[in-house]
Amino acid sequence: MSPRRHLALPLAAVILVGLPVFWAFPEDLAFWRSVAIVCGWLGWGLLLVSLLLMIRESWLAEWMGGLERMYRWHHRSGTLAYLVLLLHPLALSVDAWSEAPSLAWPALSPLRNSLAVQLGWASLLAMMLGLALAFSRALAYDKWRWLHLSLAAAVVLAILHLVYLGLDDWLLWVPAAAIALMLWRFLRSDSGQAAHPYVVTRVDHPAHALIEVSLRPLATAITARPGQFVLAAFADAPSWKGFGEYHPFSLSRIGKDGEIAMGIKALGDCTTRLQHVQCGFAARVQGPFGAFLADAGATPGLWVAGGIGITPFLALLRARPLTQPTRLIYLYRESADAAYIGELNEIAAGQDSLSLVALATGASDPDIERLIPDPSGLAGCDCYLCGPPGLLDSVIGILAARGVAASRIHFERFDFR
Amino acid sequence: MMRVAFTVGTGLFCVAVLLVWLFSPPPSPTIEAPQPILPASRIPLAEVSRHGQADDCWMAIEGKVYDLTPYLPLHPTKPGIIVPWCGQEASEAYRTKTRGRPHSAEAGELLEKYLIGQLAE
């Protein structure tokens, strides 16, 4: 990752957190009251960081080091904001206690305070509920996604808390920025204003429960490179109910005429229904996102793909011949799941630099240690991994144990929860 | 890791709130006692000026007198900005707070909760 991409996110975080804390930093106040004020504005700064990092714009993701990194820090900054904001009422209570112990509970209790304080409590409780749901793995994605909106309600309540406290000076930019970021996300991403219109031109079935959908642009095409993914939504068609929500799909082909293709594996309700998509159906595409494989091919490579994780590697192999020796380990469960295996064999046969190891693992865990080269074979290699989380964790552990530096292990987890 | 931080943080917060509730003694009757002066009372400015401290803060604003003692800890600005107006006729300060702008309508509604009388001419 370039220094610019590496530094942009922490720099934006420092600015968004530092500005409100600096402006509101208390002087001549009791210690615990100062702590409460600093915690309040620190929490607000972290909330702004979290809101900024939920924006899905390809140029922003490019600046911030990728959408996956943005989402990882969106989770971290949101949780940290909540933890810091928990200290805000407690510090006010300690401040009241230092004046008189009998004032501690009245200062904290929402039942004995003004509407402003009650709104603050409501915001904190909505945040508590929203985060508890956000951390839930048991919820189906569509339910999880809607319940995640309770966190937006928490931000609105926090804004009302500030307004009813009487905040109406320069610091109003903080709630104004929060509203702007939420509107940006809703209008540009969720309602699809940032999306490009496409039409389905071809549907292939390269493996069991897997389709490859080719899309032609109806207006401006996205400019993507191999290894990237897009967020796509498919509109309703006669006799077929589409999906208005956007899901991530890796690109498997990038045509010169703007046509793109993506592999869609039936993994959930939406992707199962998408197996029946047909030519002529309308789609909307946001992106592209991701920097996976951006530097691939410059050095000898070890590529490890699990199942549908073969898609980004296929996109690169379809785009250009390899110039450096590369070993591609392709793992799938059964031979019926071996998507694109015929095409991959053909490409490997035509390129001396590509060595393909394709293996059906069956129901048992594959013996990955045996497949990974020994330390001498990994010297100077850049390792690219794409597949299920369990496979990634195993391979990363083996590579680290064999002396591969973390900077030479590249992967994207595609976990947007 | 964030899930653990959330769980631990939420648990500690709940325990802390419970502890405050359990160990904060009930307020003394003098703090909870109702104001002896009814909002219809007429209070001279000389009486207002006798309440010019942070722990005993009356203000005259637009012809009305307010006991803002319990509100001072909740005011969003620094005490150095509001406390000097305790015991004073503060209408001008109320109308022209930050950079000459007046307080909001919500602030006006909040203020009425602390009304204790009319300013005597």
Side-chain angles (χ1 to χ4, degrees):
Chain A
M1 192 186 296
S2 70
R4 172 180 65 79
R5 283 164 55 87
H6 198 77
L7 287 174
L9 196 157
L11 193 63
V14 166
I15 291 170
L16 286 175
V17 173
L19 273 181
V21 172
F22 173 77
W23 187 270
F25 200 83
E27 293 171 12
D28 308 325
L29 275 186
F31 174 75
W32 283 107
R33 188 158 182 81
S34 301
V35 170
I37 291 170
V38 168
C39 283
W41 288 110
L42 194 60
W44 257 110
L46 287 163
L47 276 182
L48 287 183
V49 175
S50 187
L51 292 173
L52 172 71
L53 296 178
M54 71 176 188
I55 301 295
R56 289 175 179 171
E57 297 282 357
S58 50
W59 60 267
L60 186 66
E62 190 73 23
W63 264 92
M64 296 288 177
L67 202 60
E68 197 230 351
R69 185 173 185 236
M70 286 173 70
Y71 272 45
R72 202 164 60 240
W73 282 98
H74 163 73
H75 297 150
R76 288 175 183 169
S77 53
T79 309
L80 282 176
Y82 164 74
L83 293 172
V84 170
L85 288 171
L86 286 180
L87 295 175
H88 174 65
L90 292 179
L92 284 173
S93 182
V94 174
D95 175 58
W97 184 291
S98 60
E99 190 178 330
S102 61
L103 296 178
W105 178 243
L108 188 62
S109 167
L111 303 175
R112 305 180 67 166
N113 271 297
S114 63
L115 179 61
V117 175
Q118 289 164 356
L119 286 164
W121 265 101
S123 169
L124 213 50
L125 292 175
M127 221 175 280
M128 195 182 285
L129 175 71
L131 279 175
L133 293 168
F135 285 122
S136 168
R137 291 278 165 187
L139 282 171
Y141 177 75
D142 56 339
K143 286 192 182 68
W144 175 89
R145 191 168 171 272
W146 281 107
L147 290 169
H148 199 55
L149 279 178
S150 61
L151 287 169
V155 175
V156 172
L157 287 165
I159 290 169
L160 291 173
H161 169 66
L162 288 182
V163 170
Y164 276 88
L165 275 178
L167 178 85
D168 58 358
D169 60 8
W170 186 88
L171 276 168
L172 271 175
W173 75 265
V174 175
I179 292 170
L181 289 169
M182 288 194 295
L183 283 176
W184 187 351
R185 164 63 194 249
F186 176 73
L187 294 174
R188 291 277 297 165
S189 303
D190 295 321
S191 64
Q193 297 301 311
H196 300 249
Y198 277 75
V199 64
V200 177
T201 54
R202 182 173 166 165
V203 180
D204 294 301
H205 295 80
H208 171 67
L210 174 70
I211 57 169
E212 184 179 55
V213 178
S214 299
L215 299 170
R216 180 166 50 80
L218 294 174
T220 316
I222 62 165
T223 307
R225 57 177 185 264
Q228 290 194 297
F229 66 96
V230 295
L231 298 167
F234 289 82
D236 289 346
S239 76
W240 189 75
K241 180 91 174 75
F243 275 89
E245 64 191 48
Y246 289 81
H247 286 256
F249 300 109
S250 284
L251 295 174
S252 59
R253 184 195 302 278
I254 299 151
K256 290 188 174 66
D257 53 357
E259 194 159 295
I260 55 174
M262 58 185 79
I264 302 177
K265 173 108 176 147
L267 295 171
D269 291 345
C270 170
T271 46
T272 301
R273 203 188 303 171
L274 279 174
Q275 301 300 305
H276 305 289
V277 78
Q278 293 173 21
C279 292
F281 284 16
R284 294 184 70 80
V285 174
Q286 294 180 37
F289 300 103
F292 188 58
L293 300 181
D295 303 317
T299 57
L302 171 69
W303 298 354
V304 181
I308 188 66
I310 192 65
T311 313
F313 299 115
L314 181 68
L316 180 55
L317 292 171
R318 281 171 166 174
R320 60 175 187 266
L322 296 172
T323 55
Q324 294 284 339
T326 300
R327 181 184 178 91
L328 169 57
I329 300 172
Y330 178 24
L331 305 174
Y332 43 84
R333 198 163 285 269
E334 308 288 346
S335 56
D337 301 316
Y340 311 108
I341 190 67
E343 185 178 353
L344 286 167
N345 279 323
E346 278 181 29
I347 293 171
Q351 292 192 39
D352 291 340
S353 50
L354 178 64
S355 144
L356 174 66
V357 179
L359 187 68
T361 62
S364 58
D365 290 337
D367 183 6
I368 302 170
E369 295 227 26
R370 187 176 56 81
L371 299 171
I372 305 285
D374 57 24
S376 61
L378 290 168
C381 257
D382 272 286
C383 305
Y384 293 87
L385 324 174
C386 189
L391 176 70
L392 292 189
D393 292 339
S394 297
V395 177
I396 290 166
I398 294 166
L399 291 173
R402 295 188 184 178
V404 179
S407 60
R408 285 189 170 268
I409 305 174
H410 313 275
F411 57 90
E412 288 182 350
R413 287 192 184 271
F414 296 98
D415 185 2
F416 292 124
R417 278 199 173 197
Chain B
M1 194 178 78
M2 286 294 119
R3 188 195 301 239
V4 174
F6 167 77
T7 309
V8 172
T10 304
L12 289 175
F13 175 74
C14 292
V15 169
V17 171
L18 195 66
L19 287 176
V20 173
W21 180 59
L22 285 175
F23 292 103
S24 176
S28 63
T30 52
I31 293 174
E32 284 293 290
Q35 291 289 342
I37 303 167
L38 297 173
S41 303
R42 304 195 73 79
I43 304 168
L45 195 56
E47 175 63 24
V48 174
S49 67
R50 278 194 278 275
H51 302 271
Q53 305 295 321
D55 57 354
D56 179 19
C57 177
W58 290 13
M59 282 186 211
I61 298 171
E62 310 288 10
K64 294 177 179 175
V65 179
Y66 302 91
D67 179 359
L68 294 171
T69 313
Y71 176 67
L72 287 193
L74 302 174
H75 193 264
T77 63
K78 300 161 189 170
I81 292 174
I82 188 170
V83 169
W85 291 100
C86 294
Q88 306 283 321
E89 210 298 323
S91 303
E92 183 62 18
Y94 183 76
R95 280 195 300 266
T96 61
K97 48 163 216 167
T98 314
R99 297 179 189 90
R101 283 182 288 120
H103 277 76
S104 62
E106 287 76 17
E109 287 175 20
L110 189 62
L111 190 61
E112 291 307 308
K113 292 182 181 173
Y114 302 95
L115 177 67
I116 55 171
Q118 305 292 321
L119 185 65
E121 294 298 326

